[in-house]
Amino acid sequence: MFREPQVENKESPKFWRVNIILGLLLVILTIATFWQVQGHGFVFDDQAYIVENPRLQHPPTLDDIKWALTTNYAGFWHPIVWLSYMVDVKLQGSSPRGFHLTNLLLHIFNTLLLFSFLSKATKSVWRSAFVAGLFAIHPLHVESVAWVAERKDLLSTLFWMLTLLAYLRYVHLPRVRTYLSVIVFFVLGLMSKPMLVTLPFLLLLLDWWPLQRTAFVRFPQPTSSSEDKKTPVSRLVIEKIPLFILSAVFSVLAYVMQESNNALSGGFTFGIRFGNAIISYAGYIWKMIWPRNLSAFYPHPGHNLPIWQAIAAGVILLLVSVFALRSSKKMPYMGVGWLWYLGTLVPVIGFVQVGMFSMADRFTYVPLIGLFIMIAWGLPDLICRAWLDEASNESENKRSPILIFTACACIIAFALCAWIQVGYWHDNIKLFKRAIAVTSNNALACNNLGLAYERLNQIDDAIIWYSRALEIEPLYPFAHLNLGRALKEVGSIGEAVEHYIAAVQIKPDFAEAHNNLASILASKGKINEAIEEYQKAIAANPNYAEAHYNLALLLSEIGRFNDAVAHYKEALRLNPLDADVLCNLGLLFIQKRDFRSAEKHLHRAISIQPQMAEAHYGLAVILAVHGKHAEALHEIELCRKYGYAPNPELVRIINSKYRKFKPHHEISIAPN
């Protein structure tokens, strides 16, 4: 079989120099491939995760940390991810550049950790470097790195690799302390993304190869020392029971979180989901070999699933499985690599459908490592078995440079493809135009492209793409919502109402559509109907701060002050640093003549947004009521400086009172 170039003893300085040099090359290769991400903006779900998340608009507080540890925002409990975002905000502010550089740094760490684990576990430095190189630059991994919202992929993999390294240490030094380190890293990984639920099964595979701890596998030419290390399979399973329990707990938790956020999409029978899963398994393999037409979103075929594709994919998977497992008697890495790929994809392959996509590039971030192992260890050995006489070392040595050259050429080719793919993630317009170009009937991409144009205030273009999304999928509630908002922007109120109504008919618990419909009803004076729609929005999503705020505004306008205060407080609970809520609540307390509460809220609003003129005006009123006329006049001056015209009668009264009590230090503010 093919032998790697020798680097002498594994503990020799030359061995470590080779590791360091290869590690540096991996870092340089990864940076060169992904460096352009530093100039990218926020895309796709980054808007919800980062831009619209009030917890990430300021340096983190203790309350924000508590929120990160308890929230199921966006349908997941992944506190490590939120804490990492908060660290980004603390160190680098809220600009996209800092978030992208952190993603790149994490990807580099993951690459080096993978190289370190494989090198230590297999003692095959060059093959390990090849696997790490493919992992670092494969185009299918661009999504996980260039998309800030997929930080969970990077962090969970970081702890995945640390768990593997900790387990390797435990194998060589089986102590309670070393085992606890395995559990700690495993839990941290699960707190980043529940993808790690398959890791205990993977550890059993690694006990087979490369660790050779199992007693039921016959390896070629086993040594007596390796035979002494064999451990009964039952003991290996028992050893991992704590990890299996943690996997079960986090699997249930993930399911409950997704279900509570309505992220589990119904409507597909198990047969359709199973067929799509089989096609996806085969599709990822093809995209690994030929990474063409990659998209940020692949629409689910649903009931139009081609049965012949599912059958063909199933036959391919069966044949590869038979080959990999049969060849494992002499080449165990074939079975381990194949089962690594199949097993680690199970949580995201679609047996439980989350979202409306058929597959996603990001799901391959860890699973492809299994296929890379099959290629790095299996392909050279298969070639040597087919072409060479194993005893012919001279012929074998001549083949080694050819294989190394081919490996380097593959990595360079994939790196160039990845660099091109990274460019598509520069902004939403590039991203979704590319998705539309390489997929068919992609309603989500059309909708999101419309949203990108709307954020650039190109409303006409937005309407075109929202309409296109509805042509593809007439029952797409989010496209109805967005088209309604865009039509309202251009003055087509009647059409906007029609689309909002369509959205809530398709999706009765659509909080945003109820909220937007309520705002139009309120503007038309249909107060009771508007209140009812706001209440429906809140019933659908009790944590919808905007609906609480809008309902509070409406209730305060019709004199229902106590109800308004309750909804303002709820909006404030959800977003404690919302200056608008603080200001309006303070002004409402003035109307209720609760001046102490009013002053407290207005001061907090100004501490967050110093140029909030309405808050200064409210303070002026409170100060005037308490006879502090000079301070009141100062607040009036600030109020007018920041563009708000105060009540002329209030200015006249304050001036009058001030002249009466402080005639020698008059400060007169002329009323408008």
Side-chain angles (χ1 to χ4, degrees), residues 497-519:
V497 170
E498 291 176 7
H499 284 285
Y500 287 147
I501 292 174
V504 298
Q505 287 176 341
I506 298 166
K507 182 177 169 61
D509 62 346
F510 199 172
E512 291 83 356
H514 285 294
N515 176 75
N516 290 9
L517 179 58
S519 68

Side-chain angles (χ1 to χ4, degrees), residues 540-670:
N541 181 6
N543 293 327
Y544 190 12
E546 184 179 340
H548 283 290
Y549 175 73
N550 290 338
L551 179 55
L553 279 174
L554 184 56
L555 292 172
S556 64
E557 287 177 5
I558 63 175
R560 292 172 56 178
F561 295 148
N562 290 335
D563 292 335
V565 167
H567 285 286
Y568 274 135
K569 286 184 175 180
E570 186 63 16
L572 197 59
R573 181 187 69 80
L574 295 167
N575 186 2
L577 298 179
D578 191 321
D580 288 326
V581 176
L582 287 164
C583 178
N584 284 356
L585 185 55
L587 296 175
L588 187 56
F589 277 128
I590 291 176
Q591 291 183 275
K592 290 171 61 65
R593 304 193 68 78
D594 183 352
F595 298 118
R596 178 176 296 179
S597 297
E599 187 173 10
K600 179 182 73 173
H601 286 86
L602 293 172
H603 275 301
R604 284 181 60 195
I606 291 171
S607 69
I608 297 167
Q609 192 171 326
Q611 297 185 3
M612 179 165 276
E614 294 87 345
H616 287 288
Y617 177 73
L619 285 178
V621 173
I622 296 171
L623 292 166
V625 168
H626 288 89
K628 299 179 180 179
H629 303 107
E631 296 173 51
L633 288 173
H634 176 67
E635 293 297 331
I636 289 289
E637 185 178 0
L638 291 175
C639 175
R640 298 176 75 173
K641 176 183 177 181
Y642 298 140
Y644 182 81
N647 187 317
E649 184 63 19
L650 174 66
V651 176
R652 186 190 65 77
I653 292 172
I654 294 175
N655 269 320
S656 174
K657 295 287 186 181
Y658 187 76
R659 282 195 298 269
K660 180 177 180 181
F661 294 104
K662 297 288 183 180
H664 300 298
H665 301 87
E666 181 174 340
I667 302 177
S668 179
I669 303 295

Side-chain angles (χ1 to χ4, degrees), residues 44 93 96 214 233 290 300 318 329 404 490 509 512 562 601 606:
F44 215 162
T214 56
V233 177
W290 192 254
H300 198 292
L318 181 61
K329 292 181 179 180
I404 293 173
V490 297
D509 62 346
E512 291 83 356
N562 290 335
H601 286 86
I606 291 171

Side-chain angles (χ1 to χ4, degrees), residues 71-88:
T71 186
N72 66 339
Y73 186 86
F76 286 104
W77 182 68
H78 41 42
I80 303 298
V81 177
W82 297 122
L83 292 173
S84 76
Y85 289 146
M86 290 176 183
V87 171
D88 279 342

Side-chain angles (χ1 to χ4, degrees), residues 38-49:
Q38 65 163 331
H40 289 191
F42 290 124
V43 296
F44 215 162
D45 285 354
D46 293 346
Q47 191 73 19
Y49 262 70

Side-chain angles (χ1 to χ4, degrees), residues 72-76 256-264:
N72 66 339
Y73 186 86
F76 286 104
V256 171
M257 289 289 185
Q258 290 289 319
E259 190 173 41
S260 66
N261 282 269
N262 300 315
L264 299 178

